[in-house]
Amino acid sequence: MKKLFLLAVSCLFFTCGSNEEVPEGLLTKEEMVKVMIDIRVAEGQVTHLLLPQDSAEKVFKVLEKRIFEKHSIDTVAYKSSYQYYLLNPELGGEVFSTVLDSLNIMKERVTNDR
C-alpha cells in the first residue's frame, strides 16, 4: 500500500512538472484575470435581477458573449484556458487569487461610495 501511494505521488509530481507544453491559444494570466473579473461581475448582476433560472441563464449568455467580444476571445479559448489554469494549481492559484483580490477591492469601492 505504501509503495502504491509513493508511486502515485511520484507520477503526480512528474506529470505536474514545468516541462508541460502550454496549449496554443491559451489566455495569458493577465488576460484570464480580466475576463474572469468581467464574468464574475456579470454573474453578480444577473443574480441581483432575481429572475427565474431559465431567464437568468439567457441574460447571462448575452452578457458572456459581450465579454468575449470585448476581450476578442471565443468560448473555446476561455474554457480551455480555464481548464488549463485549474489543472495547474500554481498558475491557477495566482489567477484566481488575483481575481478574488480585484473583486474585493471593487466591492470595497462600491461600499465606500454609498
Side-chain angles (χ1 to χ4, degrees):
M1 187 67 157
K2 190 174 184 180
K3 289 180 183 179
L4 182 61
F5 175 74
L6 291 174
L7 178 64
V9 170
S10 298
C11 288
L12 182 64
F13 177 76
F14 288 112
T15 58
C16 293
S18 59
N19 293 341
E20 183 178 327
E21 244 183 75
V22 176
E24 190 174 320
L26 182 75
L27 300 177
T28 65
K29 288 190 290 188
E30 294 78 17
E31 291 170 325
M32 194 66 185
V33 165
K34 290 176 184 176
V35 173
M36 286 182 68
I37 289 170
D38 286 348
I39 287 176
R40 298 305 172 247
V41 169
E43 287 173 343
Q45 291 170 335
V46 171
T47 300
H48 281 82
L49 293 175
L50 302 174
L51 296 170
Q53 183 69 27
D54 59 336
S55 298
E57 289 175 8
K58 289 177 184 176
V59 170
F60 179 74
K61 287 293 179 192
V62 170
L63 294 175
E64 184 180 54
K65 183 179 177 189
R66 289 182 186 164
I67 291 166
F68 291 161
E69 288 171 356
K70 171 184 171 185
H71 294 281
S72 301
I73 62 170
D74 59 17
T75 305
V76 173
Y78 175 73
K79 286 184 178 181
S80 62
S81 297
Y82 191 86
Q83 183 176 12
Y84 176 81
Y85 288 112
L86 275 178
L87 295 175
N88 292 279
E90 189 174 309
L91 295 173
E94 292 174 23
V95 169
F96 299 127
S97 129
T98 303
V99 169
L100 185 58
D101 291 345
S102 299
L103 291 171
N104 284 329
I105 290 170
M106 292 170 72
K107 180 182 175 184
E108 284 180 27
R109 286 184 187 156
V110 169
T111 303
N112 292 335
D113 288 345
R114 289 184 181 175

